[in-house]
Amino acid sequence: MDEIQYRDTYHSVNERRCHFEKAINARVCTCRHMQRFNLADREGVGCTQPEAHQNCADWLRALRRASCFALSQPNPVDILPHRLEAKVQAGGLLGLAKLIDSTARVEDIAGLLNQATDRYGNVSDIPMPDIVTAVTEYEPRPRKKR
């Protein structure tokens, strides 16, 4: 299966792609709204809840904006290279979990974001310095040697 055909099939199978798919597939976190599926030899993750999907989009946008300088990106961007995106997703969620309840585990992304907005009122009001530190400190697992 070529990559273009794979992407087209992926988008037809997965209506609402999880914004934290890389972190979920890396087994860093889970979410009560996630729906896993396999396509060819790859795993995908979709979201079953439109409101939670939007909350995750807002949080990821804020994370990218706050982390761009620390990741040596000149401007906030919507598309990052895979490794940087994995750092933003996983490191950002781990940093938020540590900020909210001083644990480094994320059992439910949607629940964690709900706790954060209950405490701070809005995604833009969440204090980002400690979270950006967690983003820069997070190291995705190394590539397998072939």
Side-chain angles (χ1 to χ4, degrees):
M1 179 182 280
D2 72 350
E3 199 60 29
I4 294 170
Q5 184 182 11
Y6 171 80
R7 262 185 265 135
D8 291 343
T9 305
Y10 180 95
H11 293 299
S12 69
V13 169
N14 191 7
E15 291 178 24
R16 208 175 294 114
R17 180 180 185 182
C18 176
H19 293 290
F20 293 98
E21 184 176 46
K22 287 177 178 40
I24 289 172
N25 282 338
R27 308 297 193 255
V28 172
C29 55
T30 61
C31 182
R32 68 177 174 246
H33 301 301
M34 73 180 192
Q35 181 177 8
R36 288 184 179 278
F37 63 93
N38 292 316
L39 181 61
D41 61 343
R42 302 181 201 179
E43 284 185 271
V45 182
C47 182
T48 60
Q49 210 331 305
E51 186 178 314
H53 190 257
Q54 185 58 50
N55 290 344
C56 288
D58 295 342
W59 171 242
L60 186 57
R61 194 174 308 111
L63 264 176
R64 286 181 182 141
R65 193 175 323 115
S67 302
C68 67
F69 179 76
L71 297 174
S72 302
Q73 297 294 311
N75 299 309
V77 293
D78 288 334
I79 299 172
L80 290 169
H82 178 82
R83 185 168 177 77
L84 292 182
E85 186 66 24
K87 284 177 77 79
V88 168
Q89 288 182 18
L93 289 170
L94 293 172
L96 183 61
K98 195 175 265 189
L99 180 70
I100 295 298
D101 62 10
S102 71
T103 67
R105 297 209 33 99
V106 181
E107 299 294 331
D108 179 25
I109 296 169
L112 179 65
L113 292 179
N114 287 340
Q115 285 179 314
T117 54
D118 287 348
R119 181 178 290 184
Y120 296 103
N122 195 339
V123 168
S124 61
D125 296 331
I126 296 172
M128 294 302 254
D130 292 337
I131 296 171
V132 171
T133 301
V135 168
T136 57
E137 290 175 352
Y138 178 78
E139 283 301 318
R141 68 176 185 235
R143 280 186 131 169
K144 291 181 181 178
K145 294 185 180 182
R146 294 182 181 189

